[in-house]
Amino acid sequence: MNSAPAAVKVQDIPFSNEDFRSLATLAKSQFGLDLAESKKPLVYSRLSKRLKARGVSCFPDYLSLLGKPGEDAEKFELISALTTNVTSFFRENHHFETLRDEYLPAIIAKVQKGDRARIWSAGCSAGPEPYSLAMTILDKLPNAHNLDLKILATDIDPKIVEKARKGTYNVEELKGIPQTFQNKWTKTDPAGQTFDVSDDLKRLITFNELNLISDWPFSGKFDVIFCRNVAIYFDQPTQQKLWKRFCDLLVPGGLLFIGHSERITGPAMDQLEGIGITSYRKGGIPAAGTQE
Ligand SMILES: C[S@@+](CC[C@H](N)C(=O)[O-])C[C@H]1O[C@@H](n2cnc3c(N)ncnc32)[C@H](O)[C@@H]1O
């Protein structure tokens, strides 16, 4: 249990360069986050609120608190403060169009003959990305639930995974969803403030917590990986390792989609061909007819 916080004023909390460097070292080793020196003011503004909430008056004390057993929740508060959860339905819609037009027919053929297909939304935030994937699939394959096709949606932040699992959003977020999809898979509350995504979408998705820079618990391969606007927080060596791990996890011909400001560099480049903006295909025979 956390003890009741003593009153601490944010403006009284000092933040030296050494404090920043210690924090950056921890963020890098535990979460792969790359905190550039230029982010110091942003980090201070976000984290000093955490110190205040915990009644801690300086950053060295906050760092030692983070190292104590039972402080996992605070670590997740830390990562929430250092990253952003910004997301939306059908964000960068060209990725969903590429998936629908270029690759979904092969996935459909594959699962219809009894093979498995897996799609991963890695760094799914509050869920609009995997739910957009589920809508794209169910629109073309209404009986997907009866076939061996699943979407895995993961994020490091347990609170955001819980929100994703719940699938309740502000009505403002409906605007990204095509009207026909809204009619099929969303239900607005009587007060018109929020909407829920349908169980049909939820049943296609498994939500889990997962730190992308730790070990991954997968035995099978993936046909499609969406990892968008996540690696942007990692330094280049961490990004390159991640691209390579994704590449190794894809079936031959599988697709990788990354965020608009991210670029593939490093060893994965030898295995991936660009098929559109921030869209890549792993070299090898296409998915239709293959089984890993
Ligand atoms: C900006 S959101 C991107 C959401 C979605 N992919 C999109 O593009 O709309 C970034 C997400 O990455 C998650 N994240 C950051 N570091 C991570 C890590 N090491 N492992 C897994 N997820 C991480 C954050 O919690 C956040 O939800």
Side-chain angles (χ1 to χ4, degrees):
M1 281 296 282
N2 303 329
S3 48
V8 177
K9 282 196 210 139
V10 165
Q11 64 266 36
D12 294 340
I13 299 173
F15 193 39
S16 67
N17 287 340
E18 203 187 325
D19 291 339
F20 177 76
R21 278 193 292 273
S22 306
L23 199 63
T25 304
L26 177 105
K28 168 99 97 234
S29 64
Q30 302 226 354
F31 314 117
L33 302 181
D34 185 28
L35 294 184
E37 204 68 44
S38 58
K39 293 202 181 136
K40 194 177 164 203
L42 178 77
V43 168
Y44 181 73
S45 124
R46 289 185 173 184
L47 271 189
S48 48
K49 293 187 189 114
R50 282 310 311 155
L51 272 71
K52 184 173 177 243
R54 293 300 306 272
V56 175
S57 58
C58 66
F59 277 85
D61 285 358
Y62 183 65
L63 283 163
S64 50
L65 180 142
L66 284 166
K68 287 186 183 153
E71 287 293 349
D72 279 357
E74 190 57 44
K75 283 194 190 144
F76 295 125
E77 293 286 355
L78 172 69
I79 197 158
S80 294
L82 298 180
T83 61
T84 151
N85 296 127
V86 171
T87 186
S88 55
F89 287 89
F90 293 95
R91 182 182 195 183
E92 297 172 52
N93 189 35
H94 59 96
H95 286 155
F96 297 94
E97 290 170 348
T98 301
L99 174 64
R100 181 194 64 201
D101 299 337
E102 307 286 328
Y103 199 57
L104 202 48
I107 293 186
I108 290 174
K110 188 176 167 177
V111 293
Q112 276 177 338
K113 72 181 180 72
D115 291 342
R116 78 195 275 279
R118 293 290 180 271
I119 298 174
W120 184 13
S121 166
C124 65
S125 187
E129 184 175 276
Y131 287 125
S132 303
L133 284 166
M135 289 187 236
T136 305
I137 291 164
L138 282 176
D139 185 47
K140 299 289 172 202
L141 187 65
N143 67 334
H145 298 108
N146 304 327
L147 301 167
D148 196 358
L149 194 165
K150 298 251 174 315
I151 299 168
L152 172 69
T154 62
D155 199 282
I156 194 172
D157 181 344
K159 281 206 275 192
I160 210 81
V161 172
E162 202 37 56
K163 180 167 167 46
R165 213 175 261 133
K166 187 154 182 269
T168 302
Y169 302 93
N170 191 291
V171 281
E172 278 293 302
E173 299 190 48
L174 275 174
K175 62 179 181 293
I177 307 177
Q179 189 62 52
T180 51
F181 290 5
Q182 289 185 29
N183 298 344
K184 277 198 224 174
W185 293 303
T186 70
K187 189 162 182 243
T188 303
D189 79 316
Q193 301 293 305
T194 62
F195 70 93
D196 288 317
V197 299
S198 76
D199 286 345
D200 256 9
L201 300 183
K202 292 182 183 172
R203 277 166 52 218
L204 214 54
I205 308 171
T206 304
F207 290 99
N208 269 323
E209 292 160 30
L210 181 74
N211 181 351
L212 282 173
I213 69 150
S214 67
D215 293 339
W216 300 343
F218 309 131
S219 46
K221 300 234 169 183
F222 285 83
D223 297 77
V224 179
I225 298 175
F226 272 59
C227 185
R228 310 182 309 157
N229 312 300
V230 182
I232 194 170
Y233 301 111
F234 304 157
D235 65 8
Q236 207 183 36
T238 310
Q239 286 189 15
Q240 291 188 351
K241 248 184 250 159
L242 187 64
W243 305 140
K244 178 72 175 115
R245 290 176 82 194
F246 283 147
C247 214
D248 292 343
L249 197 62
L250 279 172
V251 299
L255 303 191
L256 172 65
F257 296 96
I258 65 173
H260 59 281
S261 53
E262 294 158 346
R263 294 288 168 271
I264 303 282
T265 58
M269 282 176 79
D270 298 340
Q271 286 168 274
L272 295 171
E273 62 167 314
I275 54 160
I277 304 162
T278 51
S279 313
Y280 300 86
R281 185 196 307 274
K282 180 173 169 177
I285 34 172
T290 67
Q291 180 65 27
E292 287 284 314

